[in-house]
Structures are given as C-alpha cells and as structure tokens.
Amino acid sequence: LMEGAGTVALEIAQRLADVDAVIVNVGGGNLAAATAATMAALQPRARVIGVAPANSPVIADSFHARRALVIPPVETVADALAQHETIAFTMTVLWRYLADAWTVDDPTIVSALRMLLEWAHMLAEPSGVACLAGAWTHREALRDQRVVLVVTGANATVAQLQQALAAPPLA
C-alpha cells in the first residue's frame, strides 16, 4: 500500500523542481509516509508535512511524542482520516522522513472544502482537503515557498457540500 502511495510523490518530483513543502492528508499514515520517503530520495530539501483532523490526532500526536499512542477518535467531518491507533512500520517511516504533523479542526476543514469549490472549481471530500486547511492555518510559515497540496478523494455527500457552502470562507 505504501509503495503505491509513493507514486504521488514520484509524480510531484518529476513534474515540479525545487519544491519547498508537500502537505498531505493523514489517516493511517501510509500516504504521508510514502510521500515523505519518496521526496527525501528525489528532492531531499522538500519538507513533507502531514495533516490530520483534530478529532483524530493519533498519528500527529504519536509523531510528536515519538512513540505510538492509542487515542480513540471522536466524530469528525473528515471521517476517512479517523484512526484510533498507529501502524508500527508506518510510524517508523514517518518518524524518519516526515518534517512535521499538524491537526486542523472540523470548521476549518469544511471552510477549506468551500474554498476548493469556489476558487479551484474542484470537488473533494472533507478528508481530502485537510491539507488545504492545514496550509491555510499555517500560511504565514509557508509564505514565499513552493508548496504542493495532495488533495484526495471525491466522495463528498450532498449534506457535506451543503455544509461547506454554508460555511464561512477561510479567514
């Protein structure tokens, strides 16, 4: 699974030179781990940052604690990213290659979904825009950098889209 997910970073590295940061959604961690390891090999200067929902912080908290934690998730709009425990091998790769792990709250994720719809005319599911929510939250730290967001999944429900359209814009 991780090797397949690494092809995302392979395409990024082949198409874009001098990437400063790649921001990727984090559920179980395989996509983030594969992206981080691949970018380390192909563009070692690029930082890879994982973003998880604040209501399911087990991967981000385990990353920062440098040990595997068990944290039951609570309901989150980014349900495809909800996890309660880590995978040992995945965490080993994340600890070695991931630059940072952030969490974002549900209202920011919903507003990011709205932003993607309005500005880019792209449809993604809430879990797929956690990276955009993270980039927006940390936009000052990313200013003047070449940043790639790995937006995933198009399984948004009508209710989620209605929620996004009713959400305030990111501010």
Side-chain angles (χ1 to χ4, degrees):
L1 182 63
M2 194 181 296
E3 289 173 350
T7 62
V8 170
L10 178 62
E11 289 184 35
I12 292 167
Q14 289 174 338
R15 293 178 187 203
L16 300 171
D18 302 320
V19 171
D20 294 306
V22 177
I23 303 176
V24 60
N25 307 311
V26 174
N30 280 315
L31 179 59
T35 301
T38 303
M39 290 305 291
L42 300 176
Q43 288 192 30
R45 196 178 68 73
R47 296 174 301 118
V48 177
I49 301 161
V51 182
N55 288 353
S56 183
V58 69
I59 300 295
D61 288 0
S62 294
F63 173 80
H64 291 292
R66 305 305 274 186
R67 64 184 178 88
L69 304 172
V70 175
I71 304 172
V74 294
E75 188 173 320
T76 176
V77 67
D79 57 349
L81 301 180
Q83 302 290 319
H84 70 281
E85 63 186 348
T86 63
I87 300 166
F89 178 73
T90 304
M91 288 310 301
T92 300
V93 176
L94 290 171
W95 287 321
R96 182 170 179 187
Y97 296 109
L98 196 69
D100 203 354
W102 300 334
T103 59
V104 289
D105 62 26
D106 277 10
T108 306
I109 292 170
V110 172
S111 290
L113 180 55
R114 176 183 172 166
M115 176 188 277
L116 191 69
L117 284 167
E118 279 188 297
W119 294 4
H121 305 283
M122 290 177 57
L123 175 64
E125 63 192 69
S127 298
V129 298
C131 59
L132 175 57
W136 182 263
T137 301
H138 295 271
R139 64 191 175 278
E140 288 303 317
L142 299 170
R143 184 176 301 281
D144 299 324
Q145 293 183 36
R146 190 167 192 181
V147 178
V148 176
L149 305 178
V150 181
V151 177
T152 60
N155 296 316
T157 66
V158 170
Q160 289 170 330
L161 294 175
Q162 289 171 332
Q163 182 183 11
L165 292 173
L170 287 173

